[in-house]
Amino acid sequence: QQIIAEKMAESELQNNIIDAAQKLGWRIHAERPAMNQGDKYSVPIQGDKGFPDLILIKGHTIFAWELKSMKGKLTSEQEEWLRYFARAGCRIGIIRPHDWLNGKIEEELNL
């Protein structure tokens, strides 16, 4: 499982979570990077940097999740957004491939 987790891309993790969440009736917001000129990716948004990768809402529960590879690190802007969501009463998380593989995500989504 560790080898699979280390090889799983953040985009694959996100697709897996979105697929499972949709099947369980969650409302989902996610943004995809777009290729601009050259080989650079960007997410064309307005507002502050670091917004979480996934926002999921079902009933009275809101998750604000930042997805990271096994070795990925949060930026200070991502940390700040998660603090704001937590203060607003949302459940926050830094989700990594091992969380998907060990069933933690499925458990969270099956509220």
Side-chain angles (χ1 to χ4, degrees):
Q1 239 184 20
Q2 184 66 23
I3 293 171
I4 294 169
E6 288 179 13
K7 289 184 178 184
M8 185 181 290
E10 203 175 291
S11 59
E12 182 182 356
L13 175 62
Q14 180 168 311
N15 289 339
N16 289 338
I17 293 170
I18 288 172
D19 184 54
Q22 286 175 327
K23 289 175 182 171
L24 294 168
W26 288 83
R27 297 290 294 173
I28 302 157
H29 174 83
E31 296 167 357
R32 294 180 201 224
M35 178 78 80
N36 54 9
Q37 291 180 342
D39 288 338
K40 291 194 159 204
Y41 284 94
S42 65
V43 180
I45 61 167
Q46 289 184 302
D48 299 311
K49 291 181 181 181
F51 194 81
D53 293 315
L54 283 176
I55 303 298
L56 300 102
I57 301 173
K58 186 175 182 183
H60 297 287
T61 302
I62 301 174
F63 290 127
W65 287 346
E66 184 61 42
L67 307 182
K68 291 292 176 191
S69 67
M70 292 302 291
K71 295 180 182 177
K73 298 187 186 311
L74 289 178
T75 65
S76 59
E77 294 92 352
Q78 290 168 332
E79 289 175 355
E80 187 172 7
W81 268 110
L82 291 178
R83 281 194 301 273
Y84 272 81
F85 273 103
R87 281 188 222 130
C90 299
R91 296 172 63 174
I92 63 167
I94 302 159
I95 308 301
R96 299 184 186 275
H98 69 260
D99 297 316
W100 174 256
L101 295 169
N102 70 18
K104 175 184 173 185
I105 301 306
E106 184 178 0
E107 186 178 308
E108 291 278 347
L109 294 175
N110 275 308
L111 291 174

